[in-house]
Amino acid sequence: MIAGIGIDMVDVRRMTKWMHKPALMERYFNPSEIADIKAKGEGASAGLAARFAAKEAYGKALGSGLAGITLKDITVKSGLNGEPRLLLTGTALAAFERKGASFIHLSLSHEKDNAIAIVVLEYENRN
């Protein structure tokens, strides 16, 4: 059963500016995300925008927003087959546990100046 759905879109040009502001990057992204993004070369801004959209979409899927959640506690990583996955720690994990959800589904996309993410939280089968 679906516990929550969130979607968000980010302007890639906004993230291009962020790439030149290390303090801003470190505020919203953890070191592993920053390293992954920098390794992307020309696609870095689009990847960064998609990751930021995923964090915002997660807050929307919770239904409570991101109040009280440290954005660095939400990490976008690639799964075994390259699929995007959310790794939650600290405040983000605590919010997920309060929601009572069991699974997170994430989809990312970007085209030219826009990046989009959708997050679906799912409860374990409740009878």
Side-chain angles (χ1 to χ4, degrees):
M1 178 185 328
I2 292 176
I5 299 173
I7 189 168
D8 195 68
M9 186 180 338
V10 173
D11 187 326
V12 173
R13 294 169 296 194
R14 179 173 147 208
M15 294 297 118
T16 301
K17 294 175 186 174
W18 284 27
M19 297 284 297
H20 304 291
K21 298 180 180 181
L24 194 55
M25 294 277 290
E26 291 168 6
R27 180 177 176 189
Y28 296 115
F29 300 94
N30 69 46
S32 70
E33 284 181 298
I34 294 169
D36 289 348
I37 287 299
K38 288 184 177 180
K40 290 189 178 286
E42 282 189 38
S45 295
L48 189 67
R51 287 168 189 259
F52 192 76
K55 294 169 188 261
E56 293 283 338
Y58 173 68
K60 292 173 182 176
L62 287 172
S64 58
L66 292 169
I69 296 177
T70 301
L71 289 183
K72 291 191 328 184
D73 289 348
I74 305 167
T75 304
V76 178
K77 295 298 265 179
S78 294
L80 296 175
N81 297 315
E83 75 280 6
R85 315 231 358 135
L86 283 184
L87 173 65
L88 306 176
T89 58
T91 58
L93 179 58
F96 182 74
E97 290 170 346
R98 280 191 304 274
K99 182 75 173 176
S102 302
F103 305 103
I104 303 171
H105 305 277
L106 171 64
S107 183
L108 306 174
S109 188
H110 46 80
E111 173 79 22
K112 297 181 184 176
D113 294 333
N114 296 297
I116 192 166
I118 185 167
V119 172
V120 177
L121 302 181
E122 184 180 358
Y123 293 121
E124 207 167 335
N125 192 14
R126 293 183 172 187
N127 294 326

